[in-house]
Amino acid sequence: SAVPRFRRLLRAQAEQKGFPALLPPVTGTLTSWATRFAGDNQHHLSSTARQILLLDLLHDYPRWLRQYGDWPLVDSLLALFDELALHAGRLSDNADSIRKIFARHGADMDDFSPFSDEAQLVQELWNAWRERLTKNNLQDPVRRYTDALARSLERLPTGTNIYLAGFTDFADVEIA
């Protein structure tokens, strides 16, 4: 962990400058810091509630359930939705927005691509998932995190410095 070394360096700098005391900064994960700014106006979904909600939604898409099975599909889609939320930001409802993301990451997405139909279905499910969450005033953990990050920028005083140590792989929403 980088925290003990960071604290030692801060103490050494404070002593050099002649400060008799030092109020240490908050240390923790970016997620725990950001969730302090999360709104309380939406209901937060547990992992189990999230799986059940998506399973219920998938009953409107029987082709997917027949082809892939219930729980493996739910787990895979939730992981995909998390990655899309973190790395693709706010996708539009446009049918081509997921195709563009897949193409940006090297997938061949012309009209004859084997992924074309799947991309269209993922876009439909993504839109239905977001609509279901919004309609029921629900928030999954990743959406809560991304909303909290955005809200933190609005609520912090101008000129606030935030220092991050030990991070190597930021999601798009974390550096936006």
PDB file of all heavy atoms in Angstrom, residues 135-149:
ATOM      1  N   LYS A 135     -37.197   4.098 -14.264  1.00  0.00           N
ATOM      2  CA  LYS A 135     -38.633   4.029 -13.965  1.00  0.00           C
ATOM      3  C   LYS A 135     -38.896   3.660 -12.509  1.00  0.00           C
ATOM      4  O   LYS A 135     -39.815   4.180 -11.885  1.00  0.00           O
ATOM      5  CB  LYS A 135     -39.302   3.018 -14.895  1.00  0.00           C
ATOM      6  CG  LYS A 135     -40.816   2.953 -14.765  1.00  0.00           C
ATOM      7  CD  LYS A 135     -41.411   2.007 -15.785  1.00  0.00           C
ATOM      8  CE  LYS A 135     -41.439   0.635 -15.182  1.00  0.00           C
ATOM      9  NZ  LYS A 135     -42.130  -0.353 -15.997  1.00  0.00           N
ATOM     10  N   ASN A 136     -38.067   2.798 -11.955  1.00  0.00           N
ATOM     11  CA  ASN A 136     -38.250   2.345 -10.579  1.00  0.00           C
ATOM     12  C   ASN A 136     -37.381   3.108  -9.571  1.00  0.00           C
ATOM     13  O   ASN A 136     -37.301   2.700  -8.408  1.00  0.00           O
ATOM     14  CB  ASN A 136     -37.954   0.845 -10.482  1.00  0.00           C
ATOM     15  CG  ASN A 136     -38.971   0.030 -11.253  1.00  0.00           C
ATOM     16  OD1 ASN A 136     -40.167   0.217 -11.111  1.00  0.00           O
ATOM     17  ND2 ASN A 136     -38.482  -0.867 -12.097  1.00  0.00           N
ATOM     18  N   ASN A 137     -36.737   4.182 -10.042  1.00  0.00           N
ATOM     19  CA  ASN A 137     -35.889   5.010  -9.184  1.00  0.00           C
ATOM     20  C   ASN A 137     -34.822   4.172  -8.479  1.00  0.00           C
ATOM     21  O   ASN A 137     -34.622   4.266  -7.277  1.00  0.00           O
ATOM     22  CB  ASN A 137     -36.737   5.795  -8.176  1.00  0.00           C
ATOM     23  CG  ASN A 137     -35.973   6.936  -7.553  1.00  0.00           C
ATOM     24  OD1 ASN A 137     -35.117   7.535  -8.197  1.00  0.00           O
ATOM     25  ND2 ASN A 137     -36.264   7.229  -6.304  1.00  0.00           N
ATOM     26  N   LEU A 138     -34.139   3.311  -9.257  1.00  0.00           N
ATOM     27  CA  LEU A 138     -33.124   2.402  -8.732  1.00  0.00           C
ATOM     28  C   LEU A 138     -31.745   2.784  -9.250  1.00  0.00           C
ATOM     29  O   LEU A 138     -31.619   3.392 -10.316  1.00  0.00           O
ATOM     30  CB  LEU A 138     -33.438   0.968  -9.150  1.00  0.00           C
ATOM     31  CG  LEU A 138     -34.759   0.398  -8.657  1.00  0.00           C
ATOM     32  CD1 LEU A 138     -35.054  -0.919  -9.343  1.00  0.00           C
ATOM     33  CD2 LEU A 138     -34.731   0.235  -7.149  1.00  0.00           C
ATOM     34  N   GLN A 139     -30.748   2.388  -8.501  1.00  0.00           N
ATOM     35  CA  GLN A 139     -29.383   2.679  -8.884  1.00  0.00           C
ATOM     36  C   GLN A 139     -28.509   1.472  -8.543  1.00  0.00           C
ATOM     37  O   GLN A 139     -28.483   1.033  -7.393  1.00  0.00           O
ATOM     38  CB  GLN A 139     -28.914   3.912  -8.110  1.00  0.00           C
ATOM     39  CG  GLN A 139     -27.718   4.595  -8.664  1.00  0.00           C
ATOM     40  CD  GLN A 139     -27.449   5.899  -7.930  1.00  0.00           C
ATOM     41  OE1 GLN A 139     -27.523   5.953  -6.721  1.00  0.00           O
ATOM     42  NE2 GLN A 139     -27.127   6.933  -8.672  1.00  0.00           N
ATOM     43  N   ASP A 140     -27.819   0.942  -9.552  1.00  0.00           N
ATOM     44  CA  ASP A 140     -26.902  -0.164  -9.275  1.00  0.00           C
ATOM     45  C   ASP A 140     -25.572   0.412  -8.802  1.00  0.00           C
ATOM     46  O   ASP A 140     -25.338   1.622  -8.894  1.00  0.00           O
ATOM     47  CB  ASP A 140     -26.768  -1.092 -10.470  1.00  0.00           C
ATOM     48  CG  ASP A 140     -26.094  -0.481 -11.676  1.00  0.00           C
ATOM     49  OD1 ASP A 140     -25.641   0.673 -11.597  1.00  0.00           O
ATOM     50  OD2 ASP A 140     -25.999  -1.163 -12.700  1.00  0.00           O
ATOM     51  N   PRO A 141     -24.684  -0.414  -8.254  1.00  0.00           N
ATOM     52  CA  PRO A 141     -23.440   0.113  -7.677  1.00  0.00           C
ATOM     53  C   PRO A 141     -22.572   0.905  -8.655  1.00  0.00           C
ATOM     54  O   PRO A 141     -21.998   1.932  -8.281  1.00  0.00           O
ATOM     55  CB  PRO A 141     -22.707  -1.143  -7.189  1.00  0.00           C
ATOM     56  CG  PRO A 141     -23.787  -2.136  -6.944  1.00  0.00           C
ATOM     57  CD  PRO A 141     -24.833  -1.848  -7.980  1.00  0.00           C
ATOM     58  N   VAL A 142     -22.471   0.467  -9.882  1.00  0.00           N
ATOM     59  CA  VAL A 142     -21.624   1.175 -10.841  1.00  0.00           C
ATOM     60  C   VAL A 142     -22.234   2.514 -11.218  1.00  0.00           C
ATOM     61  O   VAL A 142     -21.536   3.530 -11.300  1.00  0.00           O
ATOM     62  CB  VAL A 142     -21.356   0.311 -12.100  1.00  0.00           C
ATOM     63  CG1 VAL A 142     -20.642   1.105 -13.169  1.00  0.00           C
ATOM     64  CG2 VAL A 142     -20.551  -0.906 -11.720  1.00  0.00           C
ATOM     65  N   ARG A 143     -23.534   2.537 -11.403  1.00  0.00           N
ATOM     66  CA  ARG A 143     -24.184   3.814 -11.725  1.00  0.00           C
ATOM     67  C   ARG A 143     -24.082   4.781 -10.544  1.00  0.00           C
ATOM     68  O   ARG A 143     -23.892   5.978 -10.721  1.00  0.00           O
ATOM     69  CB  ARG A 143     -25.634   3.576 -12.111  1.00  0.00           C
ATOM     70  CG  ARG A 143     -26.305   4.822 -12.626  1.00  0.00           C
ATOM     71  CD  ARG A 143     -27.616   4.506 -13.261  1.00  0.00           C
ATOM     72  NE  ARG A 143     -28.216   5.705 -13.792  1.00  0.00           N
ATOM     73  CZ  ARG A 143     -29.361   5.725 -14.419  1.00  0.00           C
ATOM     74  NH1 ARG A 143     -30.016   4.596 -14.604  1.00  0.00           N
ATOM     75  NH2 ARG A 143     -29.853   6.838 -14.869  1.00  0.00           N
ATOM     76  N   ARG A 144     -24.186   4.245  -9.344  1.00  0.00           N
ATOM     77  CA  ARG A 144     -24.043   5.100  -8.161  1.00  0.00           C
ATOM     78  C   ARG A 144     -22.635   5.695  -8.126  1.00  0.00           C
ATOM     79  O   ARG A 144     -22.441   6.879  -7.831  1.00  0.00           O
ATOM     80  CB  ARG A 144     -24.305   4.286  -6.898  1.00  0.00           C
ATOM     81  CG  ARG A 144     -24.184   5.137  -5.658  1.00  0.00           C
ATOM     82  CD  ARG A 144     -24.572   4.400  -4.424  1.00  0.00           C
ATOM     83  NE  ARG A 144     -24.574   5.362  -3.319  1.00  0.00           N
ATOM     84  CZ  ARG A 144     -24.440   5.054  -2.073  1.00  0.00           C
ATOM     85  NH1 ARG A 144     -24.336   3.792  -1.722  1.00  0.00           N
ATOM     86  NH2 ARG A 144     -24.431   5.972  -1.152  1.00  0.00           N
ATOM     87  N   TYR A 145     -21.654   4.888  -8.427  1.00  0.00           N
ATOM     88  CA  TYR A 145     -20.263   5.343  -8.445  1.00  0.00           C
ATOM     89  C   TYR A 145     -20.044   6.416  -9.510  1.00  0.00           C
ATOM     90  O   TYR A 145     -19.460   7.470  -9.232  1.00  0.00           O
ATOM     91  CB  TYR A 145     -19.338   4.142  -8.671  1.00  0.00           C
ATOM     92  CG  TYR A 145     -17.900   4.478  -8.882  1.00  0.00           C
ATOM     93  CD1 TYR A 145     -17.165   5.144  -7.909  1.00  0.00           C
ATOM     94  CD2 TYR A 145     -17.248   4.110 -10.049  1.00  0.00           C
ATOM     95  CE1 TYR A 145     -15.823   5.439  -8.096  1.00  0.00           C
ATOM     96  CE2 TYR A 145     -15.904   4.399 -10.238  1.00  0.00           C
ATOM     97  CZ  TYR A 145     -15.201   5.063  -9.268  1.00  0.00           C
ATOM     98  OH  TYR A 145     -13.881   5.346  -9.459  1.00  0.00           O
ATOM     99  N   THR A 146     -20.503   6.178 -10.730  1.00  0.00           N
ATOM    100  CA  THR A 146     -20.289   7.152 -11.808  1.00  0.00           C
ATOM    101  C   THR A 146     -21.046   8.448 -11.539  1.00  0.00           C
ATOM    102  O   THR A 146     -20.525   9.535 -11.795  1.00  0.00           O
ATOM    103  CB  THR A 146     -20.672   6.571 -13.181  1.00  0.00           C
ATOM    104  OG1 THR A 146     -22.037   6.162 -13.183  1.00  0.00           O
ATOM    105  CG2 THR A 146     -19.787   5.383 -13.542  1.00  0.00           C
ATOM    106  N   ASP A 147     -22.264   8.345 -11.012  1.00  0.00           N
ATOM    107  CA  ASP A 147     -23.020   9.551 -10.658  1.00  0.00           C
ATOM    108  C   ASP A 147     -22.332  10.310  -9.525  1.00  0.00           C
ATOM    109  O   ASP A 147     -22.299  11.540  -9.524  1.00  0.00           O
ATOM    110  CB  ASP A 147     -24.456   9.206 -10.261  1.00  0.00           C
ATOM    111  CG  ASP A 147     -25.303   8.769 -11.444  1.00  0.00           C
ATOM    112  OD1 ASP A 147     -24.851   8.898 -12.603  1.00  0.00           O
ATOM    113  OD2 ASP A 147     -26.430   8.279 -11.210  1.00  0.00           O
ATOM    114  N   ALA A 148     -21.780   9.581  -8.551  1.00  0.00           N
ATOM    115  CA  ALA A 148     -21.086  10.218  -7.432  1.00  0.00           C
ATOM    116  C   ALA A 148     -19.831  10.938  -7.909  1.00  0.00           C
ATOM    117  O   ALA A 148     -19.511  12.035  -7.429  1.00  0.00           O
ATOM    118  CB  ALA A 148     -20.746   9.187  -6.361  1.00  0.00           C
ATOM    119  N   LEU A 149     -19.097  10.345  -8.856  1.00  0.00           N
ATOM    120  CA  LEU A 149     -17.918  11.020  -9.401  1.00  0.00           C
ATOM    121  C   LEU A 149     -18.311  12.342 -10.059  1.00  0.00           C
ATOM    122  O   LEU A 149     -17.670  13.375  -9.839  1.00  0.00           O
ATOM    123  CB  LEU A 149     -17.211  10.129 -10.427  1.00  0.00           C
ATOM    124  CG  LEU A 149     -16.320   9.024  -9.899  1.00  0.00           C
ATOM    125  CD1 LEU A 149     -15.835   8.148 -11.050  1.00  0.00           C
ATOM    126  CD2 LEU A 149     -15.147   9.580  -9.116  1.00  0.00           C
TER     127      LEU A 149
END
